Amino acid sequence: MYRVYFKNDTSKYILDYFENYRKYYESLYEDSWIWSENQIVKWYFNESLNRHNELKNLIINWLKVENVLWRKDNNLVIIKWRTKYIFINYEEDISLNERYVLNISIR
């Protein structure tokens, strides 16, 4: 089993992605005149946190195994997540059993 670490840029990308998700729905329902506006906004806030954790756990579980499935020669992995594809570049240190997520793209 490998330990999986995220580089700072990668963690920031994931945080920004879900912050933009949350902000989009906050602005969409802001002053919408819906009586449950606060509940809807709160639900999207919680959903953004849940999705953030779900995505990070998916990446960790995918990369921690000895043989990474669907891996390309250049340590690129493409994972399907919900309706999106996650492109992950990583490097590994076999002697320390560590993998580092260098770059991630959600499309």
Side-chain angles (χ1 to χ4, degrees):
M1 295 293 255
Y2 282 82
R3 290 184 303 276
V4 178
Y5 299 102
F6 293 87
K7 295 289 185 177
N8 287 338
D9 295 343
T10 309
S11 292
K12 183 171 176 7
Y13 178 87
I14 295 171
L15 284 173
D16 289 346
Y17 182 84
F18 291 108
E19 183 176 340
N20 289 334
Y21 169 87
R22 179 186 50 80
K23 285 181 180 179
Y24 171 78
Y25 286 104
E26 282 179 353
S27 67
L28 181 66
Y29 289 102
E30 184 178 51
D31 295 331
S32 63
W33 293 73
I34 298 175
W35 68 271
S36 60
E37 178 182 307
N38 289 335
Q39 290 175 339
I40 294 170
V41 169
K42 184 178 178 183
W43 185 87
Y44 278 108
F45 176 78
N46 291 334
E47 184 63 17
S48 71
L49 296 176
N50 291 338
R51 287 181 182 216
H52 176 266
N53 293 333
E54 178 184 340
L55 180 63
K56 278 209 158 178
N57 288 333
L58 174 72
I59 293 169
I60 290 170
N61 289 331
W62 198 273
L63 292 178
K64 74 179 180 180
V65 295
E66 187 72 31
N67 294 322
V68 176
L69 297 175
W70 308 105
R71 180 179 65 164
K72 306 283 185 186
D73 291 334
N74 57 353
N75 287 343
L76 171 70
V77 176
I78 303 170
I79 303 172
K80 183 162 177 39
W81 175 67
R82 295 183 179 228
T83 60
K84 309 281 187 198
Y85 287 97
I86 314 299
F87 294 80
I88 302 168
N89 288 330
Y90 68 94
E91 67 181 16
E92 59 187 358
D93 187 346
I94 297 171
S95 62
L96 296 174
N97 281 346
E98 295 177 342
R99 289 195 173 125
Y100 302 94
V101 179
L102 300 175
N103 192 5
I104 183 170
S105 177
I106 302 172
R107 301 180 196 167

